[in-house]
Protein backbone atom coordinates (compact mmCIF):
# COMPACT_ATOMS: atom_id res chain seq x y z
CA UNK A 1 0.00 0.00 0.00
CA UNK A 2 1.37 3.40 -0.92
CA UNK A 3 1.84 5.94 1.83
CA UNK A 4 -0.69 8.73 1.52
CA UNK A 5 0.40 12.30 1.09
CA UNK A 6 -0.05 15.12 3.60
CA UNK A 7 -3.32 16.21 1.96
CA UNK A 8 -4.93 12.87 2.88
CA UNK A 9 -3.16 11.97 6.14
CA UNK A 10 -4.90 13.94 8.88
CA UNK A 11 -5.88 11.36 11.46
CA UNK A 12 -3.32 12.49 14.02
CA UNK A 13 -3.92 16.22 14.09
CA UNK A 14 -2.05 16.79 17.35
CA UNK A 15 1.15 15.30 15.93
CA UNK A 16 0.62 17.11 12.61
CA UNK A 17 0.33 20.36 14.54
CA UNK A 18 3.58 19.67 16.35
CA UNK A 19 5.36 18.96 13.06
CA UNK A 20 3.90 22.12 11.52
CA UNK A 21 5.15 24.25 14.43
CA UNK A 22 8.63 22.70 14.33
CA UNK A 23 8.96 23.27 10.59
CA UNK A 24 7.78 26.85 10.92
CA UNK A 25 10.27 27.59 13.68
CA UNK A 26 13.14 25.95 11.84
CA UNK A 27 12.42 27.69 8.55
CA UNK A 28 12.02 31.10 10.17
CA UNK A 29 15.14 30.83 12.32
CA UNK A 30 17.47 28.59 10.34
CA UNK A 31 18.87 31.51 8.38
CA UNK A 32 20.43 32.72 11.62
CA UNK A 33 22.49 29.55 11.79
CA UNK A 34 23.37 29.63 8.11
CA UNK A 35 24.46 33.25 8.32
CA UNK A 36 27.86 34.28 7.13
CA UNK A 37 30.70 34.49 9.59
CA UNK A 38 33.85 36.17 8.37
CA UNK A 39 32.79 35.55 4.80
CA UNK A 40 32.16 31.82 5.29
CA UNK A 41 28.77 30.14 5.32
CA UNK A 42 28.23 27.82 8.24
CA UNK A 43 26.50 24.62 7.15
CA UNK A 44 25.64 21.74 9.48
CA UNK A 45 27.05 18.37 8.51
CA UNK A 46 24.94 15.28 8.13
CA UNK A 47 26.47 11.94 9.02
CA UNK A 48 25.55 8.30 9.43
CA UNK A 49 26.45 5.77 12.12
CA UNK A 50 26.30 2.02 11.66
CA UNK A 51 24.41 0.83 14.70
CA UNK A 52 23.48 -2.69 15.84
CA UNK A 53 19.85 -3.52 15.18
CA UNK A 54 19.72 -5.53 18.38
CA UNK A 55 22.24 -4.05 20.82
CA UNK A 56 21.22 -6.57 23.49
CA UNK A 57 22.24 -9.63 21.46
CA UNK A 58 25.94 -9.77 20.65
CA UNK A 59 25.43 -12.70 18.27
CA UNK A 60 23.07 -10.67 16.06
CA UNK A 61 25.27 -8.96 13.47
CA UNK A 62 22.53 -7.01 11.72
CA UNK A 63 22.95 -3.24 11.61
CA UNK A 64 21.17 -0.10 10.43
CA UNK A 65 22.28 3.41 9.56
CA UNK A 66 21.37 6.14 12.03
CA UNK A 67 21.46 9.77 10.97
CA UNK A 68 23.07 12.56 12.94
CA UNK A 69 23.78 16.26 12.44
CA UNK A 70 26.79 18.29 13.60
CA UNK A 71 27.20 22.02 14.21
CA UNK A 72 30.79 22.89 15.14
CA UNK A 73 30.70 26.64 14.44
CA UNK A 74 30.99 27.45 18.17
CA UNK A 75 33.35 24.64 19.13
CA UNK A 76 36.45 25.76 21.01
CA UNK A 77 39.03 23.02 21.45
CA UNK A 78 38.91 19.25 21.71
CA UNK A 79 37.83 19.28 25.34
CA UNK A 80 34.82 21.57 24.75
CA UNK A 81 31.45 20.35 26.06
CA UNK A 82 29.24 18.37 23.73
CA UNK A 83 25.53 19.21 23.63
CA UNK A 84 23.65 16.18 22.30
CA UNK A 85 20.10 16.83 21.10
CA UNK A 86 18.25 13.51 21.27
CA UNK A 87 15.59 12.99 18.63
CA UNK A 88 12.10 11.75 19.41
CA UNK A 89 9.16 10.42 17.40
CA UNK A 90 9.92 12.22 14.13
CA UNK A 91 12.64 13.12 11.67
CA UNK A 92 15.49 15.49 12.50
CA UNK A 93 16.78 18.14 10.11
CA UNK A 94 19.62 20.68 10.20
CA UNK A 95 17.55 22.94 12.42
CA UNK A 96 18.04 20.47 15.26
CA UNK A 97 21.62 21.72 15.64
CA UNK A 98 21.36 25.23 14.18
CA UNK A 99 18.19 26.80 15.55
CA UNK A 100 16.78 27.03 19.05
CA UNK A 101 18.05 25.24 22.09
CA UNK A 102 20.69 23.81 22.73
CA UNK A 103 22.30 25.66 19.81
CA UNK A 104 21.55 28.98 21.54
CA UNK A 105 23.50 27.83 24.61
CA UNK A 106 26.54 26.57 22.70
CA UNK A 107 28.42 29.88 22.20
CA UNK A 108 28.76 30.52 25.94
CA UNK A 109 30.80 27.35 26.42
CA UNK A 110 32.27 26.85 22.96
CA UNK A 111 30.24 23.66 22.75
CA UNK A 112 29.98 21.17 19.92
CA UNK A 113 26.31 20.56 19.04
CA UNK A 114 25.15 17.17 17.76
CA UNK A 115 21.69 15.74 17.17
CA UNK A 116 20.84 12.05 16.86
CA UNK A 117 17.75 10.88 15.01
CA UNK A 118 15.70 8.21 16.82
CA UNK A 119 15.82 4.73 15.32
CA UNK A 120 12.85 3.92 13.04
CA UNK A 121 12.01 7.61 12.47
CA UNK A 122 12.95 9.97 9.65
CA UNK A 123 15.68 8.37 7.54
CA UNK A 124 16.99 6.15 10.35
CA UNK A 125 14.74 3.23 9.46
CA UNK A 126 16.37 -0.23 9.29
CA UNK A 127 16.15 -2.13 6.03
CA UNK A 128 13.02 -4.22 5.95
CA UNK A 129 10.49 -1.52 6.75
CA UNK A 130 8.01 -1.31 9.58
CA UNK A 131 6.52 -4.78 9.86
CA UNK A 132 6.07 -6.40 13.27
CA UNK A 133 9.26 -8.45 12.99
CA UNK A 134 11.20 -5.21 12.65
CA UNK A 135 9.29 -3.13 15.18
CA UNK A 136 10.34 -5.43 18.00
CA UNK A 137 13.62 -3.47 17.87
CA UNK A 138 11.82 -0.15 18.43
CA UNK A 139 11.67 0.92 22.07
CA UNK A 140 13.03 3.52 24.44
CA UNK A 141 15.57 0.96 25.67
CA UNK A 142 16.90 0.44 22.16
CA UNK A 143 17.04 4.22 21.70
CA UNK A 144 19.06 4.61 24.88
CA UNK A 145 21.50 1.95 23.71
CA UNK A 146 21.85 3.94 20.47
CA UNK A 147 22.75 7.05 22.45
CA UNK A 148 25.44 5.13 24.33
CA UNK A 149 26.87 3.64 21.14
CA UNK A 150 26.70 6.97 19.28
CA UNK A 151 28.38 8.77 22.16
CA UNK A 152 31.37 6.43 21.89
CA UNK A 153 31.51 6.38 18.09
CA UNK A 154 31.19 10.17 17.71
CA UNK A 155 33.90 10.72 20.30
CA UNK A 156 36.28 9.00 17.89
CA UNK A 157 34.86 10.39 14.65
CA UNK A 158 34.78 14.02 15.81
CA UNK A 159 38.00 13.89 17.82
CA UNK A 160 36.32 14.69 21.12
CA UNK A 161 38.51 14.64 24.20
CA UNK A 162 37.86 12.01 26.84
CA UNK A 163 37.48 14.86 29.33
CA UNK A 164 34.70 16.60 27.37
CA UNK A 165 31.40 16.55 29.29
CA UNK A 166 28.40 15.36 27.27
CA UNK A 167 25.04 16.95 28.10
CA UNK A 168 21.85 15.49 26.64
CA UNK A 169 18.91 17.67 25.66
CA UNK A 170 15.46 16.46 24.70
CA UNK A 171 11.85 17.59 24.59
CA UNK A 172 8.65 15.64 25.28
CA UNK A 173 9.33 11.88 24.78
CA UNK A 174 12.95 12.73 23.95
CA UNK A 175 13.06 14.66 27.22
CA UNK A 176 12.28 11.40 28.99
CA UNK A 177 15.08 9.74 27.03
CA UNK A 178 17.46 12.51 28.12
CA UNK A 179 16.49 11.81 31.73
CA UNK A 180 16.96 8.08 31.37
CA UNK A 181 20.50 8.48 30.00
CA UNK A 182 21.40 9.36 33.59
CA UNK A 183 19.87 6.19 35.03
CA UNK A 184 21.72 3.07 36.07
CA UNK A 185 19.34 0.62 34.43
CA UNK A 186 19.90 -3.08 33.67
CA UNK A 187 21.54 -3.65 30.32
CA UNK A 188 23.02 -0.14 30.15
CA UNK A 189 25.04 0.16 33.39
CA UNK A 190 27.63 2.57 32.02
CA UNK A 191 25.26 5.32 31.01
CA UNK A 192 25.83 7.78 33.86
CA UNK A 193 29.54 7.66 33.04
CA UNK A 194 28.91 8.48 29.39
CA UNK A 195 26.50 11.37 29.92
CA UNK A 196 27.48 14.12 32.35
CA UNK A 197 24.11 15.84 32.71
CA UNK A 198 20.73 16.25 31.03
CA UNK A 199 18.11 18.92 30.39
CA UNK A 200 14.67 17.31 30.11
CA UNK A 201 12.02 19.63 28.67
CA UNK A 202 8.33 18.74 29.04
CA UNK A 203 9.26 15.12 29.70
CA UNK A 204 6.24 12.87 30.46
CA UNK A 205 8.17 10.50 32.71
CA UNK A 206 5.10 8.72 34.01
CA UNK A 207 3.46 6.47 31.45
CA UNK A 208 -0.34 6.51 31.69
CA UNK A 209 -3.02 4.65 29.79
CA UNK A 210 -5.56 7.45 29.51
CA UNK A 211 -4.62 11.12 29.63
CA UNK A 212 -7.32 13.77 30.02
CA UNK A 213 -5.62 16.98 31.19
CA UNK A 214 -6.79 19.28 28.38
CA UNK A 215 -9.21 21.71 30.05
CA UNK A 216 -9.50 25.34 28.89
CA UNK A 217 -12.60 27.58 28.40
CA UNK A 218 -14.50 24.71 29.95
CA UNK A 219 -18.07 25.92 29.64
CA UNK A 220 -17.70 27.23 26.07
CA UNK A 221 -15.78 24.18 24.85
CA UNK A 222 -18.34 21.89 26.47
CA UNK A 223 -21.19 23.76 24.77
CA UNK A 224 -19.48 23.57 21.37
CA UNK A 225 -18.92 19.81 21.63
CA UNK A 226 -22.44 19.27 22.93
CA UNK A 227 -23.79 20.96 19.78
CA UNK A 228 -21.60 18.77 17.57
CA UNK A 229 -22.96 15.67 19.29
CA UNK A 230 -26.53 16.95 18.99
CA UNK A 231 -26.12 17.38 15.23
CA UNK A 232 -24.56 13.91 14.93
CA UNK A 233 -27.63 12.41 16.62
CA UNK A 234 -30.12 14.45 14.58
CA UNK A 235 -29.89 12.26 11.49
CA UNK A 236 -28.44 12.31 7.95
CA UNK A 237 -29.54 15.84 7.05
CA UNK A 238 -27.93 17.38 10.14
CA UNK A 239 -24.82 15.25 9.64
CA UNK A 240 -24.49 16.56 6.10
CA UNK A 241 -24.62 20.12 7.43
CA UNK A 242 -22.01 19.27 10.05
CA UNK A 243 -19.78 17.71 7.40
CA UNK A 244 -19.93 20.90 5.36
CA UNK A 245 -19.47 23.28 8.26
CA UNK A 246 -16.55 21.45 9.86
CA UNK A 247 -14.74 20.64 6.63
CA UNK A 248 -14.98 16.86 6.77
CA UNK A 249 -13.46 14.97 3.84
CA UNK A 250 -15.95 12.10 4.00
CA UNK A 251 -19.33 11.10 5.35
CA UNK A 252 -20.26 10.96 9.02
CA UNK A 253 -22.88 8.24 8.96
CA UNK A 254 -20.78 5.63 10.80
CA UNK A 255 -20.42 5.71 14.58
CA UNK A 256 -16.69 5.00 14.43
CA UNK A 257 -16.20 7.94 12.04
CA UNK A 258 -18.17 10.21 14.34
CA UNK A 259 -15.91 9.23 17.21
CA UNK A 260 -12.88 9.85 15.00
CA UNK A 261 -14.14 13.34 14.14
CA UNK A 262 -14.72 14.22 17.77
CA UNK A 263 -11.21 13.00 18.54
CA UNK A 264 -9.75 15.26 15.86
CA UNK A 265 -11.70 18.26 17.17
CA UNK A 266 -10.49 17.45 20.67
CA UNK A 267 -6.91 17.37 19.34
CA UNK A 268 -7.43 20.76 17.74
CA UNK A 269 -8.39 22.31 21.07
CA UNK A 270 -5.82 20.29 23.02
CA UNK A 271 -3.04 21.19 20.60
CA UNK A 272 -3.86 24.86 21.00
CA UNK A 273 -3.40 24.51 24.74
CA UNK A 274 -0.29 22.35 24.42
CA UNK A 275 1.57 24.73 22.07
CA UNK A 276 0.08 28.00 23.26
CA UNK A 277 2.05 31.09 22.24
CA UNK A 278 4.69 29.33 20.15
CA UNK A 279 5.71 30.62 16.73
CA UNK A 280 3.81 28.77 14.02
CA UNK A 281 0.85 27.86 16.23
CA UNK A 282 -2.37 28.58 14.30
CA UNK A 283 -4.20 29.75 17.43
CA UNK A 284 -3.31 30.78 20.95
CA UNK A 285 -5.46 29.79 23.91
CA UNK A 286 -6.58 33.41 24.18
CA UNK A 287 -7.63 33.45 20.52
CA UNK A 288 -9.38 30.09 20.75
CA UNK A 289 -11.26 31.11 23.87
CA UNK A 290 -12.19 34.34 22.13
CA UNK A 291 -13.68 32.38 19.25
CA UNK A 292 -15.57 30.00 21.55
CA UNK A 293 -16.88 32.79 23.78
CA UNK A 294 -17.67 35.12 20.89
CA UNK A 295 -17.34 38.86 20.51
CA UNK A 296 -18.32 40.36 23.86
CA UNK A 297 -20.00 43.29 22.08
CA UNK A 298 -22.09 41.09 19.78
CA UNK A 299 -22.55 37.69 21.40
CA UNK A 300 -26.13 37.32 20.24
CA UNK A 301 -24.76 36.47 16.78
CA UNK A 302 -22.14 34.01 18.00
CA UNK A 303 -22.17 30.62 19.70
CA UNK A 304 -19.42 28.30 20.97
CA UNK A 305 -20.16 25.96 18.05
CA UNK A 306 -19.70 28.79 15.56
CA UNK A 307 -16.42 29.63 17.28
CA UNK A 308 -15.30 26.02 16.95
CA UNK A 309 -16.12 26.11 13.23
CA UNK A 310 -14.00 29.23 12.80
CA UNK A 311 -11.15 27.62 14.74
CA UNK A 312 -11.23 24.60 12.40
CA UNK A 313 -11.07 26.89 9.37
CA UNK A 314 -8.08 28.77 10.79
CA UNK A 315 -6.16 25.59 11.57
CA UNK A 316 -6.91 24.05 8.18
CA UNK A 317 -5.75 27.19 6.40
CA UNK A 318 -2.62 27.47 8.52
CA UNK A 319 -1.61 23.86 7.92
CA UNK A 320 -2.41 23.98 4.21
CA UNK A 321 -5.14 21.34 4.36
CA UNK A 322 -8.34 21.39 2.34
CA UNK A 323 -10.35 19.23 4.75
CA UNK A 324 -10.05 16.94 7.76
CA UNK A 325 -10.34 13.18 7.41
CA UNK A 326 -12.64 11.57 9.97
CA UNK A 327 -12.52 8.06 8.51
CA UNK A 328 -11.70 5.36 11.04
CA UNK A 329 -11.09 2.88 8.21
CA UNK A 330 -8.60 5.28 6.63
CA UNK A 331 -6.84 5.71 9.96
CA UNK A 332 -6.46 1.95 10.38
CA UNK A 333 -5.30 1.54 6.77
CA UNK A 334 -2.65 4.22 7.20
CA UNK A 335 -1.38 2.69 10.42
CA UNK A 336 -1.11 -0.74 8.83
CA UNK A 337 1.18 0.60 6.13
CA UNK A 338 4.66 -0.85 6.64
CA UNK A 339 6.39 1.38 4.09
CA UNK A 340 8.43 4.05 5.91
CA UNK A 341 7.73 7.74 5.53
CA UNK A 342 10.60 9.79 4.17
CA UNK A 343 10.12 12.67 6.58
CA UNK A 344 7.88 14.03 9.29
CA UNK A 345 6.14 12.09 12.02
CA UNK A 346 6.01 8.32 12.12
CA UNK A 347 2.44 7.47 13.04
CA UNK A 348 2.76 3.68 12.85
CA UNK A 349 6.00 3.69 14.82
CA UNK A 350 4.70 5.97 17.56
CA UNK A 351 1.44 4.02 17.87
CA UNK A 352 3.58 0.91 18.34
CA UNK A 353 5.52 2.60 21.14
CA UNK A 354 2.32 3.75 22.85
CA UNK A 355 0.92 0.22 22.59
CA UNK A 356 4.08 -1.43 23.92
CA UNK A 357 5.42 1.16 26.40
CA UNK A 358 3.59 4.39 27.16
CA UNK A 359 -0.16 4.57 26.53
CA UNK A 360 -0.62 8.37 26.53
CA UNK A 361 -4.06 8.08 24.90
CA UNK A 362 -5.80 11.43 25.09
CA UNK A 363 -9.29 10.65 26.32
CA UNK A 364 -12.21 12.48 27.89
CA UNK A 365 -13.69 10.24 30.57
CA UNK A 366 -13.75 12.44 33.68
CA UNK A 367 -16.81 14.59 34.56
CA UNK A 368 -14.88 17.93 34.32
CA UNK A 369 -13.74 17.21 30.77
CA UNK A 370 -15.31 19.69 28.30
CA UNK A 371 -15.09 17.46 25.22
CA UNK A 372 -17.14 14.58 23.93
CA UNK A 373 -16.65 11.21 25.59
CA UNK A 374 -17.03 9.33 22.31
CA UNK A 375 -13.28 8.98 21.54
CA UNK A 376 -13.06 6.80 24.65
CA UNK A 377 -10.16 4.67 25.84
CA UNK A 378 -11.55 1.39 24.39
CA UNK A 379 -11.57 3.02 20.95
CA UNK A 380 -7.93 4.05 21.38
CA UNK A 381 -6.90 0.61 22.59
CA UNK A 382 -8.77 -0.98 19.71
CA UNK A 383 -6.17 0.52 17.37
CA UNK A 384 -3.47 -1.53 19.09
CA UNK A 385 -5.57 -4.64 18.44
CA UNK A 386 -6.48 -3.81 14.84
CA UNK A 387 -3.03 -2.65 13.75
CA UNK A 388 -0.66 -4.82 15.78
CA UNK A 389 -2.80 -7.57 17.29
CA UNK A 390 -2.02 -6.35 20.82
CA UNK A 391 -4.73 -6.72 23.43
CA UNK A 392 -5.87 -3.98 25.80
CA UNK A 393 -4.59 -6.06 28.71
CA UNK A 394 -1.12 -6.26 27.17
CA UNK A 395 -1.04 -2.48 26.68
CA UNK A 396 -1.98 -1.87 30.31
CA UNK A 397 0.70 -4.32 31.41
CA UNK A 398 3.30 -2.61 29.20
CA UNK A 399 2.51 0.80 30.72
CA UNK A 400 2.92 -0.61 34.23
CA UNK A 401 6.22 -2.25 33.26
CA UNK A 402 7.55 1.02 31.82
CA UNK A 403 6.87 2.87 35.07
CA UNK A 404 8.42 0.06 37.08
CA UNK A 405 11.52 -0.03 34.88
CA UNK A 406 12.23 3.71 34.76
CA UNK A 407 10.70 4.80 38.06
CA UNK A 408 7.96 7.08 36.74
CA UNK A 409 8.10 10.56 38.27
CA UNK A 410 10.81 9.56 40.74
CA UNK A 411 13.43 8.09 38.40
CA UNK A 412 16.40 8.71 40.69
CA UNK A 413 18.53 10.15 37.89
CA UNK A 414 21.12 12.67 39.06
CA UNK A 415 22.27 15.88 37.37
CA UNK A 416 19.03 16.23 35.44
CA UNK A 417 17.22 19.55 35.11
CA UNK A 418 13.49 19.11 34.57
CA UNK A 419 11.90 22.00 32.68
CA UNK A 420 8.14 22.40 32.23
CA UNK A 421 5.55 25.08 31.47
CA UNK A 422 2.52 25.37 33.70
CA UNK A 423 0.14 25.78 30.74
CA UNK A 424 1.37 22.53 29.18
CA UNK A 425 -1.13 19.78 30.04
CA UNK A 426 1.65 17.19 30.01
CA UNK A 427 3.51 18.77 32.93
CA UNK A 428 1.39 16.72 35.32
CA UNK A 429 3.28 13.61 34.14
CA UNK A 430 6.69 15.21 34.58
CA UNK A 431 8.75 16.51 37.52
CA UNK A 432 7.79 20.02 38.63
CA UNK A 433 9.41 20.18 42.07
CA UNK A 434 13.03 19.53 43.05
CA UNK A 435 13.64 15.86 43.77
CA UNK A 436 17.00 16.61 45.36
CA UNK A 437 20.09 18.84 45.10
CA UNK A 438 21.14 17.23 41.80
CA UNK A 439 17.58 16.82 40.48
CA UNK A 440 16.28 20.40 40.18
CA UNK A 441 12.96 21.28 38.57
CA UNK A 442 11.85 24.45 36.83
CA UNK A 443 8.18 25.27 36.20
CA UNK A 444 7.89 28.28 33.89
CA UNK A 445 4.69 30.34 34.35
CA UNK A 446 2.68 30.75 31.15
CA UNK A 447 4.94 28.45 29.10
CA UNK A 448 3.56 25.71 26.87
CA UNK A 449 4.94 22.35 25.74
CA UNK A 450 8.72 22.49 25.11
CA UNK A 451 8.52 26.28 24.84
CA UNK A 452 11.98 26.69 26.40
CA UNK A 453 13.46 24.79 23.44
CA UNK A 454 11.94 27.11 20.84
CA UNK A 455 14.09 29.79 19.17
CA UNK A 456 14.34 33.04 21.12
CA UNK A 457 11.90 35.76 20.01
CA UNK A 458 11.55 39.42 21.02
CA UNK A 459 7.97 38.66 22.07
CA UNK A 460 9.03 36.03 24.61
CA UNK A 461 7.50 36.64 28.03
CA UNK A 462 9.63 37.76 30.99
CA UNK A 463 8.92 34.43 32.71
CA UNK A 464 10.19 32.48 29.68
CA UNK A 465 13.33 34.62 29.51
CA UNK A 466 13.92 34.09 33.21
CA UNK A 467 13.38 30.35 32.76
CA UNK A 468 15.98 30.16 30.02
CA UNK A 469 18.35 32.16 32.23
CA UNK A 470 17.88 29.61 35.02
CA UNK A 471 18.66 26.78 32.60
CA UNK A 472 21.86 28.61 31.66
CA UNK A 473 22.77 29.12 35.31
CA UNK A 474 22.23 25.47 36.21
CA UNK A 475 24.44 24.34 33.32
CA UNK A 476 27.01 26.88 34.43
CA UNK A 477 27.10 25.36 37.92
CA UNK A 478 27.51 21.84 36.59
CA UNK A 479 30.09 22.72 33.92
CA UNK A 480 32.14 24.83 36.33
CA UNK A 481 32.27 21.86 38.67
CA UNK A 482 33.57 19.54 35.97
CA UNK A 483 36.09 22.14 34.83
CA UNK A 484 37.36 22.51 38.38
CA UNK A 485 37.79 18.74 38.68
CA UNK A 486 39.72 18.66 35.39
CA UNK A 487 42.05 21.42 36.57
Amino acid sequence: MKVKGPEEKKAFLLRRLREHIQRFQESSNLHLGFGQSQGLVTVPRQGWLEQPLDPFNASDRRTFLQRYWVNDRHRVGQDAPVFLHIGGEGSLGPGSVMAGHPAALAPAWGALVISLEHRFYGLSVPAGGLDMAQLRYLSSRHALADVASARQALTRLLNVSASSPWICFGGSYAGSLATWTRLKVPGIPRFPHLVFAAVASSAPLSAVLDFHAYNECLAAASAAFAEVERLLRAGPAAQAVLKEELGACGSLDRTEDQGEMLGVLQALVGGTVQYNGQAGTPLSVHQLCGLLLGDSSNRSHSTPYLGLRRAVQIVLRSMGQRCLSFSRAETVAQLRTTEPQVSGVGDRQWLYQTCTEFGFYVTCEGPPCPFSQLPALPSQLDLCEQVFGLSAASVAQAVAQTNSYYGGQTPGATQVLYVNGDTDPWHVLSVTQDLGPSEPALLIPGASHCFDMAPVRPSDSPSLRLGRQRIFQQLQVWLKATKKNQD
Side-chain angles (χ1 to χ4, degrees):
M1 183 183 297
K2 188 176 180 180
V3 176
K4 298 189 177 185
E7 274 295 312
E8 289 79 26
K9 279 180 71 75
K10 309 173 189 75
F12 295 88
L13 182 64
L14 193 58
R15 287 167 53 69
R16 293 289 172 275
L17 183 60
R18 176 184 174 182
E19 182 186 22
H20 169 78
I21 293 169
Q22 288 178 334
R23 285 181 174 177
F24 180 91
Q25 292 179 354
E26 285 193 7
S27 63
S28 61
N29 290 277
L30 200 53
H31 69 280
L32 297 176
F34 283 106
Q36 293 188 355
S37 176
Q38 298 179 348
L40 298 175
V41 177
T42 302
V43 178
R45 301 198 310 274
Q46 176 182 275
W48 300 88
L49 294 174
E50 187 174 6
Q51 298 273 46
L53 181 63
D54 186 356
F56 307 115
N57 182 2
S59 63
D60 190 337
R61 301 295 183 182
R62 290 175 297 171
T63 61
F64 75 101
L65 292 178
Q66 187 170 28
R67 182 167 59 167
Y68 66 92
W69 294 90
V70 177
N71 172 11
D72 58 4
R73 71 176 294 193
H74 303 296
R75 186 183 187 184
V76 180
Q78 287 180 297
D79 59 350
V82 179
F83 292 169
L84 178 63
H85 177 181
I86 301 176
E89 66 278 26
S91 64
L92 283 187
S96 59
V97 293
M98 299 299 288
H101 166 162
L105 295 167
W109 289 284
L112 173 66
V113 183
I114 305 171
S115 67
L116 184 68
E117 192 168 65
H118 197 296
R119 61 165 56 204
F120 283 89
Y121 293 97
L123 297 183
S124 300
V125 179
L130 304 175
D131 60 27
M132 284 293 286
Q134 289 282 100
L135 290 178
R136 60 182 293 207
Y137 303 107
L138 169 60
S139 74
S140 57
R141 302 182 196 189
H142 288 91
L144 290 171
D146 290 341
V147 173
S149 177
R151 193 278 198 211
Q152 294 171 310
L154 291 171
T155 294
R156 297 189 300 269
L157 287 171
L158 301 177
N159 199 22
V160 176
S161 169
S163 62
S164 294
W166 286 64
I167 299 180
C168 285
F169 294 79
S172 197
Y173 160 55
S176 298
L177 291 177
T179 299
W180 297 332
T181 63
R182 290 287 305 158
L183 279 178
K184 294 181 179 179
V185 294
I188 320 174
R190 297 177 59 199
F191 241 63
H193 304 288
L194 296 177
V195 176
F196 172 71
V199 178
S201 297
S202 301
L205 294 169
S206 180
V208 61
L209 203 58
D210 58 330
F211 184 65
H212 45 79
Y214 290 92
N215 297 324
E216 287 291 329
C217 308
L218 295 182
S222 181
F225 276 82
E227 176 64 10
V228 172
E229 287 200 74
R230 187 191 69 79
L231 290 171
L232 286 173
R233 292 192 299 265
Q239 291 170 7
V241 172
L242 192 65
K243 172 183 179 299
E244 179 67 26
E245 292 181 340
L246 292 180
C249 296
S251 66
L252 294 171
D253 55 343
R254 296 182 179 180
T255 303
E256 59 265 32
D257 294 339
Q258 296 173 12
E260 196 81 359
M261 181 197 69
L262 288 164
V264 171
L265 294 176
Q266 178 178 330
L268 183 148
V269 177
T272 300
V273 178
Q274 180 167 316
Y275 296 106
N276 180 47
Q278 297 194 34
T281 308
L283 287 168
S284 66
V285 169
H286 177 75
Q287 291 168 327
L288 176 62
C289 288
L291 290 172
L292 293 175
L293 294 170
D295 184 353
S296 59
S297 64
N298 193 19
R299 286 192 178 168
S300 61
H301 297 288
S302 181
T303 65
Y305 169 69
L306 181 58
L308 182 62
R309 282 176 50 193
R310 290 171 176 166
V312 169
Q313 294 167 1
I314 291 171
V315 172
L316 282 175
R317 189 163 54 247
S318 176
M319 298 176 68
Q321 296 183 352
R322 56 181 177 81
C323 60
L324 288 179
S325 172
F326 302 137
S327 168
R328 177 72 168 194
E330 181 183 301
T331 297
V332 173
Q334 291 169 5
L335 291 169
R336 284 176 173 168
T337 299
T338 59
E339 183 181 334
Q341 297 169 242
V342 174
S343 63
V345 296
D347 291 327
R348 177 175 168 84
Q349 301 96 299
W350 181 241
L351 177 65
Y352 179 80
Q353 287 197 262
T354 66
C355 295
T356 56
E357 292 191 88
F358 304 119
F360 293 152
Y361 304 117
V362 178
T363 61
C364 191
E365 300 192 333
C369 183
F371 309 121
S372 166
Q373 296 189 12
L374 268 183
L377 182 60
S379 174
Q380 300 283 343
L381 292 173
D382 190 51
L383 281 178
C384 297
E385 176 72 46
Q386 291 188 61
V387 178
F388 300 118
L390 298 172
S391 68
S394 73
V395 178
Q397 183 181 18
V399 169
Q401 288 177 340
T402 296
N403 288 328
S404 176
Y405 185 76
Y406 290 120
Q409 289 168 288
T410 54
T414 58
Q415 288 194 185
V416 178
L417 173 60
Y418 301 100
V419 185
N420 285 278
D422 69 358
T423 65
D424 174 20
W426 293 93
H427 81 270
V428 299
L429 301 181
S430 188
V431 174
T432 57
Q433 294 184 336
D434 295 355
L435 295 178
S438 64
E439 302 168 83
L442 171 61
L443 186 63
I444 304 176
S448 56
H449 195 64
C450 297
F451 208 166
D452 60 291
M453 298 187 73
V456 176
R457 291 190 297 164
S459 59
D460 288 339
S461 68
S463 62
L464 180 58
R465 294 179 185 180
L466 181 60
R468 288 189 176 126
Q469 184 180 347
R470 288 190 59 188
I471 295 171
F472 178 91
Q473 290 169 343
Q474 182 60 69
L475 289 178
Q476 193 170 40
V477 170
W478 284 338
L479 288 171
K480 275 186 177 180
T482 189
K483 185 67 175 176
K484 183 177 181 181
N485 291 336
Q486 290 173 7
D487 294 341

